[in-house]
Amino acid sequence: MSSESKISLHLDVNNGMDRVTELVQTRLIECGWRDQVRLACRKALTENNDKKVPTVDELIAAVTPKARGMVPDSVKKELLHELELILVNVDRAGYAKHF
Amino acid sequence: MSLVGCSHLQLYKKNPKNKESFKWIHAVFVVGISNKCRKTRICNSYCRVCKKRGPYLHACLECVFFGCMKHIREHAKTHKHTLTMDLIYGQIHCNLCGDYIYDSDMENIMKENKMQSGTFRKRLFESTSWYPTQEERSHLTSKTKKICITPESTIGLRGLINLGATCFMNCIVQALMHTPLLRDYFLTECHKCKGKPETCIVCEISELFQEFYRGATVPLALDHLLHLIWMHAKYLADYKQHDAHEFLVATLDVLHHHYLESMPPPKSSNGNVDEKCPCIIDKIFTGGLQKDVVCQICNGVSTTVDPISNFSLDVSPITSDGEQPSLIDCLEHYTRVELLDDDDKIMCSKCQSLQTSTLQQTIKTLPIVASFHLKRFQYSEKVEKIEKISTSITFPEMLDMTPFIGRAKKESPFPSDNRYTLFAVINHLGNSMNEGHYIAYVRQQQDFWYKCDDHVITRANLEEVLNSEGYLLFYHKHVLSYE
C-alpha cells in the first residue's frame, strides 16, 4: 500500500477525515474564505461574455486556482497540526487493527 | 418553489427502484447516517480507476461505480451512463446535459436523510435557501419604509423614564441593549418561547429590543420589566435606590432561569442535561474561573473551576510605581498568588491536615462579554458603615486578557486572540451607596458614544468615557472562538 492511501485509510477509520473536514470547513467559513469564493464565482458568472452559461464543472475549473490561493496560511498550518495529531494518535492506539 | 430537473432525470425517477437506490446511496455516502454505514462508506469511498479518495468523488447512479471528478466523467461517457451523484453535497450530475441539475423531489429525499444526520453534518447542510412564507411575503410588500443606517444614525438609542429611583435599572438595561451579540440574538428572533405568555422575562427583553431598535425616540417606561423582576427577585421589590451591580447579577440570573424554563435544553444521549448551559445569557456572559490551591508542604495542587459572569475587582491594589492604578493593576491583583497562612490555612487532602497554601485565581474560559465590577462600596470598620471609595481607576478602550488566562491555554500552539473592546460603562454619581444617581455610557456603531441619563441622551466622546469614574465596565470580545 502506498503511504498516501495508507494515510487516507488511517484518517477514515479514526473518524479523522470528518474531524479534519469539519475543522477546515469551519475555519474557511469563519475567516470569510467561503464568501470570497462565492463572490469570485459570481464575478466569473457576471463577467462571462459567452452566450452560454458555464457549467458547474467549468466554473470549478475557473475558480479553483484562485480559491486555493486565497486559503489563509493560518488555516493550512492548523490543518497540518491537526493531521499530525491524528496520525500520531492512530499509530499509538493502533486503530487499524480493529478494523 | 418547485424545481424540475432535466428530462433524463424524470425518466430515471419513473422507476421507484431507482429512487430507492438513490436514497440509499445518499444516506450512506453523503450523510453517513449510522455507524454501520460508516464501514461501508469508508471501504468503498475511493475512485475505482486511480484508487484515490478524491477530489470530488462521485457515485454512478446506474451501476456500482465510484470515481473522482475526472474518472466519473470518463465512466459516464464510455458506458453511456447519464446520472451521477457527487458525494460531498449530494448534487446530481447529468452527463447528457453536461451539468448538475436540481430537482425538488430528489431534494426532498435528501432532506429526509439529512434530518437524521449528526450535528456537524447538519450544520454543513443548514445553509439552505430562504423561502419566505406568505406572511413574510406580505410584510415585504406592504412595509416598504426604508431606514438608512448611517454612522451618525441614532437608531437604538432610547431614553428611559425614571420611575422613582430606578436609574440603577435603566442603566443596566441600556448596557444590555447595546451588547452586540445579545442584540443580534434578539433582533433575529431566536427566542422561541414555550413558557407562559406575559410572564416570561426573556420575551420582555425581546420586545424591548424591538422597541429600542424600531427608530422611535420617545422615552420608554420599563414598568412591566420592573414588575417582572420584582416578582422573581423579591428583595429588589421596593422603591429604594438599589445597587446597579446587584441588579445586573439578579437580572442575568433571572434571565438564565427563564431560559431554562421557556426553552428547556435538549437532553443529551445519556439522559443527562448537558453541563454547559445552552442559554444565550450563559453563552455570552459566563466564563470559567479556575482556583488553584497549592499546599506548601507536599506541593499538591487542588483545582476547581467555577462559572463566573462578573468579575468583582478590588479598587485599592498597590501599584509598584506609585502611579494611578489601572484596570490592568486590578486584574493583576485579582489573579495574584495569595498566601494562606495562620488562620487561613487550608485542609490539604494529601497531608490530611491544615497546611499553609497558596491560592491563585486565573480565568480558564473567557466569556464573550467581560463585565467588571469595581468594588467601590466597601464596609469600613472605622465608621462602621459602607463607604464609597472614589479612587480613580484608569481603564483602556482595548483590553488584552491574555495575561490573566490559565497557563494551559496560553501555551497552545495557536495563539488565541483575547482582545476586548469597551462598549458600555456605568457610573455612580454621589457619595454613598444609598443615594446618588447612576448613568450609563454606551457605544453605538463602533465609534460613537452616548451618555444615557434616564430619559436624557446626549452625545459623548471616548475621552469623556475613559475619564469617568467607572463602576461597571463592559467589554466585548473581538474575535469569537469556535464551540
Side-chain angles (χ1 to χ4, degrees):
Chain A
M1 218 196 277
S2 73
S3 68
E4 193 184 329
S5 57
K6 215 165 146 189
I7 286 173
S8 84
L9 185 69
H10 269 201
L11 279 178
D12 274 353
V13 281
N14 197 18
N15 239 356
M17 202 59 186
D18 285 352
R19 253 169 72 191
V20 171
T21 337
E22 173 172 0
L23 177 85
V24 174
Q25 290 255 10
T26 320
R27 290 293 190 259
L28 288 180
I29 292 171
E30 297 285 344
C31 72
W33 179 86
R34 188 177 67 166
D35 291 333
Q36 281 177 306
V37 173
R38 192 174 281 162
L39 281 176
C41 290
R42 222 185 129 83
K43 208 172 153 213
L45 286 176
T46 48
E47 286 177 0
N48 173 45
N49 290 326
D50 303 343
K51 279 194 182 118
K52 206 177 124 287
V53 179
T55 65
V56 176
D57 284 2
E58 284 160 8
L59 198 60
I60 290 177
V63 176
T64 301
K66 210 172 160 190
R68 278 224 174 102
M70 289 191 300
V71 176
D73 279 349
S74 61
V75 175
K76 292 184 194 164
K77 236 188 235 167
E78 196 174 357
L79 171 66
L80 194 70
H81 177 81
E82 186 73 15
L83 283 171
E84 238 170 53
L85 254 173
I86 293 171
L87 291 176
V88 166
N89 280 339
V90 165
D91 266 359
R92 208 177 284 154
Y95 279 97
K97 275 185 217 153
H98 305 296
F99 203 73
Chain B
M1 203 162 65
S2 172
L3 296 161
V4 181
C6 65
S7 59
H8 315 108
L9 182 70
Q10 302 311 315
L11 206 69
Y12 177 84
K13 264 164 48 181
K14 274 199 180 128
N15 185 345
K17 262 194 185 158
N18 281 343
K19 263 191 179 174
E20 273 303 300
S21 61
F22 169 82
K23 189 175 177 182
W24 187 83
I25 297 174
H26 183 266
V28 174
F29 289 97
V30 181
V31 180
I33 289 173
S34 72
N35 269 337
K36 236 171 42 196
C37 306
R38 245 193 77 215
K39 197 172 164 184
T40 321
R41 177 163 62 96
I42 288 162
C43 291
N44 291 296
S45 295
Y46 64 92
C47 172
R48 292 298 186 271
V49 180
C50 64
K51 310 288 180 215
K52 282 187 184 157
R53 283 169 186 265
Y56 307 112
L57 200 67
H58 283 62
C60 181
L61 291 176
E62 286 163 58
C63 72
V64 182
F65 181 84
F66 295 87
C68 64
M69 176 84 130
K70 187 173 154 221
H71 293 121
I72 193 78
R73 300 281 187 264
E74 282 175 7
H75 166 85
K77 226 179 188 171
T78 47
H79 291 77
K80 296 214 161 48
H81 288 165
T82 321
L83 299 168
T84 53
M85 171 167 53
D86 118 84
L87 295 181
I88 299 175
Y89 294 101
Q91 299 295 354
I92 304 165
H93 185 269
C94 174
N95 201 45
L96 291 177
C97 300
D99 206 352
Y100 289 86
I101 43 178
Y102 307 89
D103 186 274
S104 294
D105 276 352
M106 301 310 246
E107 306 230 326
N108 283 337
I109 297 178
M110 295 193 251
K111 218 186 224 163
E112 245 174 71
N113 281 341
K114 286 168 187 175
M115 286 301 159
Q116 295 170 37
S117 67
T119 42
F120 160 59
R121 292 258 152 189
K122 223 178 236 158
R123 220 176 57 207
L124 263 191
F125 296 138
E126 243 167 23
S127 56
T128 46
S129 11
W130 172 54
Y131 298 115
T133 62
Q134 203 54 50
E135 194 196 344
E136 285 163 338
R137 232 176 274 180
S138 74
H139 277 313
L140 285 172
T141 42
S142 65
K143 306 235 153 93
T144 48
K145 189 185 165 195
K146 286 187 185 127
I147 302 175
C148 181
I149 301 200
T150 58
E152 305 268 326
S153 114
T154 51
I155 285 183
L157 293 171
R158 276 310 270 280
L160 296 169
I161 294 168
N162 194 327
L163 304 166
T166 58
C167 52
F168 67 93
M169 172 174 78
N170 289 350
C171 64
I172 293 292
V173 168
Q174 291 288 6
L176 290 180
M177 290 295 136
H178 289 88
T179 304
L181 260 193
L182 204 60
R183 178 198 61 203
D184 294 351
Y185 178 87
F186 280 108
L187 289 185
T188 48
E189 299 185 314
C190 288
H191 174 60
K192 307 260 185 298
C193 193
K194 291 190 192 117
K196 263 191 244 157
E198 295 294 303
T199 62
C200 176
I201 192 167
V202 190
C203 289
E204 182 65 26
I205 295 285
S206 182
E207 269 162 40
L208 257 184
F209 269 102
Q210 297 290 343
E211 198 50 58
F212 258 74
Y213 287 89
R214 84 187 163 91
T217 48
V218 199
L220 285 172
L222 301 177
D223 49 331
H224 198 216
L225 178 72
L226 188 65
H227 176 71
L228 284 174
I229 297 214
W230 279 0
M231 275 171 33
H232 296 287
K234 290 251 155 49
Y235 56 94
L236 290 171
D238 52 39
Y239 285 96
K240 274 192 212 143
Q241 172 72 283
H242 280 280
D243 180 22
H245 171 245
E246 183 188 12
F247 182 79
L248 172 68
V249 173
T251 308
L252 292 184
D253 190 54
V254 171
L255 280 173
H256 164 75
H257 278 105
H258 264 238
Y259 246 105
L260 295 180
E261 274 167 39
S262 59
M263 294 169 84
K267 295 221 166 107
S268 57
S269 51
N270 52 14
N272 298 327
V273 177
D274 276 334
E275 253 178 54
K276 179 103 176 89
C277 177
C279 90
I280 189 69
I281 298 298
D282 268 25
K283 270 190 184 162
I284 294 179
F285 293 95
T286 307
L289 186 68
Q290 178 169 338
K291 283 183 185 155
D292 292 312
V293 177
V294 184
C295 170
Q296 294 302 291
I297 306 300
C298 68
N299 279 328
V301 187
S302 95
T303 300
T304 51
V305 180
D306 295 314
I308 182 159
S309 58
N310 194 283
F311 300 94
S312 283
L313 309 174
D314 286 325
V315 286
S316 41
I318 308 126
T319 45
S320 50
D321 42 12
E323 270 179 30
Q324 221 178 38
S326 67
L327 181 65
I328 311 279
D329 293 319
C330 295
L331 278 164
E332 271 168 7
H333 181 75
Y334 187 73
T335 53
R336 77 195 184 280
V337 181
E338 222 176 317
L339 188 66
L340 304 171
D341 204 355
D342 302 326
D343 291 348
D344 299 328
K345 280 184 183 175
I346 276 187
M347 186 72 188
C348 173
S349 56
K350 224 169 164 185
C351 309
Q352 289 294 322
S353 61
L354 289 174
Q355 296 296 358
T356 304
S357 316
T358 59
L359 166 72
Q360 186 177 23
Q361 308 189 99
T362 48
I363 300 165
K364 182 145 192 273
T365 41
L366 288 163
I368 292 168
V369 167
S371 59
F372 301 106
H373 164 223
L374 301 176
K375 289 199 264 180
R376 293 198 176 277
F377 299 110
Q378 267 171 19
Y379 184 78
S380 153
E381 281 179 20
K382 230 190 284 167
V383 285
E384 292 186 338
K385 63 174 188 181
I386 293 173
E387 272 201 322
K388 182 175 176 185
I389 306 168
S390 299
T391 318
S392 88
I393 305 271
T394 59
F395 47 91
E397 186 199 9
M398 182 96 82
L399 173 70
D400 189 352
M401 291 288 278
T402 313
F404 313 111
I405 56 176
R407 204 175 300 142
K409 261 238 170 100
K410 251 184 255 172
E411 283 165 5
S412 105
F414 298 99
S416 47
D417 190 337
N418 301 313
R419 284 175 306 159
Y420 282 75
T421 314
L422 188 70
F423 73 92
V425 174
I426 290 172
N427 279 306
H428 176 264
L429 316 174
N431 297 320
S432 90
M433 188 171 174
N434 298 321
E435 53 175 64
H437 185 52
Y438 284 107
I439 58 144
Y441 285 105
V442 292
R443 191 187 65 168
Q444 162 101 344
Q445 309 245 31
Q446 300 239 351
D447 302 315
F448 293 93
W449 284 88
Y450 290 89
K451 179 171 153 186
C452 306
D453 183 350
D454 288 331
H455 61 282
V456 183
I457 293 185
T458 45
R459 191 72 176 270
N461 57 47
L462 183 65
E463 203 188 337
E464 182 184 339
V465 177
L466 295 181
N467 284 330
S468 70
E469 193 177 67
Y471 178 51
L472 293 168
L473 311 171
F474 295 84
Y475 283 85
H476 202 286
K477 200 159 188 288
H478 246 258
V479 180
L480 304 183
S481 56
Y482 309 99
E483 285 182 346

